[in-house]
Amino acid sequence: MVGTMTMLRALLSGARDALHLSGAPPRTPAWHTPPAAGALSEDGLPPDGLPPDRAVLLDAPDERLGPALVAAALGDHAPAAALLAATREAAEWESRDRYASRLVAFAHCRDEWLTGWLARAPRDPDALLVRAELEVRRAWESPARAERLRELGPLIGAAADAAPRDPVPWRLALHHARGTRATHAVFESLWEQAVRRSAHHYGCHVAALKYLSAQRRGAHPECFDFAEQAAADALPGSLIRALPVRAALTQLPVGGAASVPSAPSVPSVHEERIDAAADLAIELSGRYAAGDPWPAEVRNVLAYVLVGRGRWGAALEQFRLIGPHATSFPWSSAGDDPLGRFLDARAGARLAAGGGVPLRGRAGRGRAGGH
């Protein structure tokens, strides 16, 4: 098997080659151009700019996704089909990836609308994408994960064939390769296909980072190498600039940030490297307006890492920029009740930044383990 570092070089060179062949860096679509950050404008906020707990929502859909989810709940697939078709036709790959994943999460609980969509349009590339990701998600939760996933290769291939320009099925193929323990050579071939379609696709880079991390224990320096170089190659407003802080997330004790530790430990990677990753993500976050839902997950990851590092003032600023947009990831990685863990971490950062003692969860929440 090819060594991890050899694969790392192949991943980085593949992305650079795809960028070079395009003749120019991919433009940032107008709907993703990051505006300058500003203060929250809602009336009645406290001086620290944090919305009250009751105003914070978990994984709230934006104005494009919301109507599609409401219609799906009523059994109507048409708005979801129109939304995904629009992202495909306009090559809005980041939005397409995000919307498809959210629709899959809904279909995981209620899939009648998807069943009806597939019955009416069995070859629709958007329906095939949602179906493939839904089946991968279900297989991933199975005790026979690897075996179930191997059966889904043709389904992922059909989604890729139906939309030849789309990198999102290849992001799904990269996750599939990790779950089936595919060789480095297989993964590299999938990565090449992904970056040919979108050299700076955030989801594909996250999938590659996860694959590297899963190859062997203690591969954290290699993961940081990959994440840092990808961030250096990315455009200033690209979410890939936050890839190193995503790598840093794995270095924090499980549950540590959610319980607001006062003395975090970093066992495998130098603290300076984690702080540098956080600083890069802070710069990225500052390019977006406060309360913007687009970078919400990146800001939630950054806040998690900053709390885990005990950087209370910086963490509090990210909670202010997050506004009402809490996301399940990364707070769900520490256990159940991600919204409650988000609010506990935010309260702890507010207290610590003001000179108080960090909390390990607020009384009265009724969660196991003091959270």
Side-chain angles (χ1 to χ4, degrees):
M1 180 179 289
V2 180
T4 301
M5 287 306 295
T6 301
M7 181 196 158
L8 175 64
R9 286 190 291 271
L11 292 180
L12 292 171
S13 63
R16 289 196 189 111
D17 289 346
L19 182 60
H20 175 72
L21 288 172
S22 71
R27 68 178 180 86
T28 303
W31 49 87
H32 294 163
T33 300
L40 289 172
S41 60
E42 289 82 0
D43 294 333
L45 291 181
D48 57 18
L50 299 178
D53 286 8
R54 65 180 180 276
V56 178
L57 302 174
L58 187 68
D59 299 327
D62 66 15
E63 68 279 0
R64 298 176 73 188
L65 179 62
L69 290 174
V70 171
L74 299 174
D76 181 7
H77 67 272
L83 175 61
L84 291 183
T87 61
R88 173 169 45 83
E89 292 164 3
E92 298 179 52
W93 304 131
E94 300 289 2
S95 293
R96 179 175 176 79
D97 199 352
R98 184 173 297 192
Y99 293 150
S101 294
R102 293 294 305 277
L103 288 166
V104 165
F106 183 76
H108 190 258
C109 302
R110 297 181 60 179
D111 64 358
E112 300 88 352
W113 61 277
L114 178 58
T115 300
W117 185 6
L118 288 164
R120 293 181 61 118
R123 297 183 182 179
D124 185 298
D126 309 311
L128 289 174
L129 174 63
V130 175
R131 181 192 176 198
E133 184 158 0
L134 176 60
E135 294 305 324
V136 167
R137 175 169 176 165
R138 287 170 171 167
W140 203 274
E141 297 170 353
S142 169
R145 175 192 299 171
E147 180 180 350
R148 288 279 305 278
L149 284 171
R150 289 189 188 98
E151 298 171 354
L152 298 178
L155 199 60
I156 298 171
D161 291 342
R165 296 188 304 144
D166 185 2
V168 182
W170 296 97
R171 187 267 298 163
L172 187 56
L174 295 172
H175 284 306
H176 178 265
R178 175 166 58 95
T180 57
R181 302 181 182 90
T183 65
H184 286 223
V186 169
F187 191 89
E188 287 172 21
S189 67
L190 296 173
W191 172 257
E192 180 183 5
Q193 293 295 326
V195 298
R196 279 180 180 274
R197 287 159 175 81
S198 180
H200 293 292
H201 187 263
Y202 178 67
C204 289
H205 279 75
V206 170
L209 184 66
K210 288 181 177 181
Y211 181 87
L212 285 171
S213 180
Q215 289 309 288
R216 63 181 178 86
R217 298 185 65 179
H220 306 300
E222 291 92 339
C223 291
F224 264 87
D225 289 343
F226 171 72
E228 289 167 352
Q229 188 60 66
D233 290 343
L235 295 172
S238 170
L239 297 184
I240 294 178
R241 301 277 287 177
L243 203 63
V245 85
R246 181 100 181 207
L249 187 69
T250 64
Q251 295 302 291
L252 299 176
V254 175
S259 58
V260 194
S262 58
S265 63
V266 182
S268 303
V269 175
H270 291 301
E271 296 179 9
E272 294 81 1
R273 202 169 189 183
I274 293 178
D275 285 334
D279 290 341
L280 185 62
I282 288 171
E283 188 276 334
L284 171 67
S285 176
R287 291 176 174 271
Y288 291 86
D292 187 342
W294 180 254
E297 184 177 275
V298 162
R299 282 173 168 164
N300 275 255
V301 170
L302 174 56
Y304 190 106
V305 170
L306 289 169
V307 168
R309 293 290 297 126
R311 294 176 59 178
W312 308 114
L316 188 63
E317 173 63 9
Q318 291 308 309
F319 282 120
R320 185 187 73 80
L321 292 172
I322 288 167
H325 297 290
T327 58
S328 291
F329 183 83
W331 309 102
S332 60
S333 63
D336 296 333
D337 190 10
L339 179 57
R341 290 174 185 274
F342 170 92
L343 294 173
D344 280 349
R346 191 180 73 156
R350 171 191 268 159
L351 181 64
V357 178
L359 299 176
R360 290 189 175 273
R362 285 172 287 172
R365 282 201 172 273
R367 292 192 298 279
H371 299 312

